[in-house]
Amino acid sequence: MPFHGNSRQGSEGHAKPAKAIALIAHDAKKAELVEWIERHQQTLRRYRLVATRGTGALLAAELSLEVTCVESGPQGGDQQIGAMIVEGKIAMVIFFTDPLTAQAHSSDVEALLRLAVVHNVPMAQNPSSADLLLREPAGQVRPAAASAHWDGR
């Protein structure tokens, strides 16, 4: 597994990394996140997953994923995940944002994204960047591998 640190036993009988992957999606992007996770289910099942309430409930119901849920984003869930970033409990953030719709809790979203940057936690806001993150997790990118993604096309 790409992430290191203390492990915890998962329900499937194998050790899961202590740090979790945070999964969040604005309402208009939840279906897109579900589709992305369907493609990466086997890999994601190896990790501890944490999500805001609406996203987590959808993932548990549609994909039978084991997800730890915090509050919904507007009810403080974004801030709870931000606190987990500060505490070193989050390995990466997959947050499919909706840039075309105004969000009532946009200041919470900005704070979460700021904390990921400040604490050097990799994050993705769309399927393409999430694909790259899952393929080349933090600390695993080698110069040759990184340059292969930029082949000039």
Side-chain angles (χ1 to χ4, degrees), residues 2-87:
F3 300 115
H4 303 288
N6 297 331
S7 296
R8 295 188 177 150
Q9 199 69 14
S11 63
E12 297 155 0
H14 62 277
K16 292 188 177 190
K19 288 188 176 186
I21 295 176
L23 301 168
I24 311 164
H26 285 146
D27 289 344
K29 297 292 184 171
K30 287 191 189 320
E32 192 171 21
L33 181 64
V34 168
E35 288 173 20
W36 181 83
I37 290 173
E38 282 179 324
R39 289 195 313 271
H40 298 284
Q41 241 183 112
Q42 252 183 310
T43 301
L44 290 169
R45 286 185 187 280
R46 291 186 258 162
Y47 299 98
R48 288 184 346 100
L49 304 174
V50 63
T52 50
R53 180 160 302 179
T55 301
L58 181 66
L59 298 177
E62 294 210 10
L63 303 174
S64 300
L65 282 177
E66 186 178 317
V67 182
T68 299
C69 293
V70 296
E71 292 295 324
S72 69
Q75 297 296 316
D78 295 334
Q79 291 184 355
Q80 285 178 294
I81 291 176
M84 295 168 110
I85 289 171
V86 172
E87 294 168 350

Side-chain angles (χ1 to χ4, degrees), residues 114-128:
R114 185 179 315 109
L115 287 171
V117 170
V118 167
H119 291 276
N120 200 28
V121 172
M123 66 179 151
Q125 292 182 276
N126 59 48
S128 294

Side-chain angles (χ1 to χ4, degrees), residues 117-146:
V117 170
V118 167
H119 291 276
N120 200 28
V121 172
M123 66 179 151
Q125 292 182 276
N126 59 48
S128 294
S129 58
D131 286 344
L132 288 173
L133 262 189
L134 211 53
R135 195 174 312 136
E136 302 290 352
Q140 301 297 309
V141 178
R142 294 177 306 279

Side-chain angles (χ1 to χ4, degrees), residues 80-126:
Q80 285 178 294
I81 291 176
M84 295 168 110
I85 289 171
V86 172
E87 294 168 350
K89 295 178 179 177
I90 301 294
M92 75 171 59
V93 176
I94 308 294
F95 189 168
F96 286 9
T97 57
D98 178 8
L100 302 178
T101 304
Q103 303 294 325
H105 66 296
S106 62
S107 59
D108 295 334
V109 172
E110 289 174 26
L112 171 62
L113 299 178
R114 185 179 315 109
L115 287 171
V117 170
V118 167
H119 291 276
N120 200 28
V121 172
M123 66 179 151
Q125 292 182 276
N126 59 48

